[in-house]
Amino acid sequence: MTAADPLSTALAELDALRDAGLSALELASTPERVEAARVEFLGQKNGRVKSAQERIKTLDPSARKAYGQRFNAVKGDLESAFEAARLRVERKTDDRGRIDVTLPGVRPRLGHRHPLTQTAEELIDLFGRIGFEVARGPEVEDVRHNFDALNIPPSHPARDPLDNFYLAVGERTSGEGPIGGDVPMLRSQTSTVQIRVMEAQKPPVRVIAIGRVYRPDTVDATHSFMFHQVEGLMVDRGVTMADLKSVLRLFARAYLGRDVTIRFRPSFFPFTEPSVEVDMLWHGGHRWVEMGGAGMVDPNVLRAVGYDPEEVTGFAFGLGIERLCMRRHAIDDIRLLYQNDVRFLRQF
Ligand code: DAH
């Protein structure tokens, strides 16, 4: 390698001078610091730009044109950077030191609702348009509403203490044997609200309930010990499975897009007969995604709340709010929804 010629060395130093000057001006955060950077780089007496200008005399005449051009560019850049820095740190005060309220302000960043809340609100709006009212129930439930009245017998595996958050089981009143009756628990499904609504009113019923449910699942990309469900219930004379499918299809297309198709797969839930899993397919894709369960309300459930299954029928469904929200926004990890990292939340 040959040693660099004096012109290349001089040009490289001009570039380094530009970089140093630009970062000094960028970092300067007060009028005093901007002024100090100006004196250091653009000062008339001993400024570094001034010294660089003088260097031209030391160069061979044939190199002066190239050096001069680069010098002018560097000086121009530093002068505009200085101007920009000066405006940036300028005190927003008038000549008597008062704040000048006519100057443009800094726009504050506005917050907005969490994507799950947005999803819930949209569901309330969409189902509201087809006549569904919002119902609520407690998150701390009792075993009767979470299981018994929903036709889930004491021996059912879903009632296992390892799969539920029972509270104060030590003080339960029902003695040994299966946990039952008035034992409090964190509800494991919003189907509890079906029972609460039907206990409180006579048919016809057309409600949705949105809320938190709790299950002791290990947290990973698709599971959490707390998540949200939307429950739907419609009971009236002559309600059929066709009504169920129409309502769910209407909803899926309104929330996720016109090209969404839904499909029912035969399944089993103690509180519905027949029961189905509800799958949805996007954008002509190949993978059906399970969104929840549904079915015709089991006559035993209607009887448990004092309705006459000979007179009325109903459908019910339960969908995962996180799933809907994650599908809609292409979010691939449920944990992101609970960490409340504003860099993530800002996107919605
Ligand atoms: N409660 C069920 C669950 O959490 C979901 C469900 C299935 C709700 C069928 C319903 C239904 O209303 O009809 O897994």
Side-chain angles (χ1 to χ4, degrees), residues 102-172:
T102 67
L103 286 169
V106 181
R107 190 179 286 276
R109 198 188 275 281
L110 288 183
H112 63 271
R113 288 177 213 263
H114 190 281
L116 284 177
T117 310
Q118 291 178 24
T119 303
E121 286 176 349
E122 215 169 314
L123 292 173
I124 290 171
D125 178 49
L126 290 174
F127 281 107
R129 285 191 227 162
I130 45 176
F132 284 76
E133 281 168 25
V134 176
R136 291 173 183 286
E139 287 174 32
V140 178
E141 257 298 0
D142 54 46
V143 166
R144 185 181 123 68
H145 288 88
N146 201 87
F147 295 127
D148 297 333
L150 285 162
N151 200 34
I152 302 174
S155 58
H156 197 281
R159 298 175 64 140
D160 194 314
L162 291 176
D163 294 328
N164 293 282
F165 288 109
Y166 290 107
L167 307 173
V169 170
E171 294 160 28
R172 70 189 196 184

Side-chain angles (χ1 to χ4, degrees), residues 188-191 194 215 227 229 231-232 269 271-272 275-276 292-296 315-319:
S188 66
Q189 50 185 356
T190 46
S191 305
Q194 292 184 32
R215 298 178 192 177
F227 58 99
Q229 290 184 327
E231 190 83 13
F269 296 101
F271 34 91
T272 43
S275 304
V276 294
M296 299 305 293
F315 68 69
F317 59 85
L319 312 174

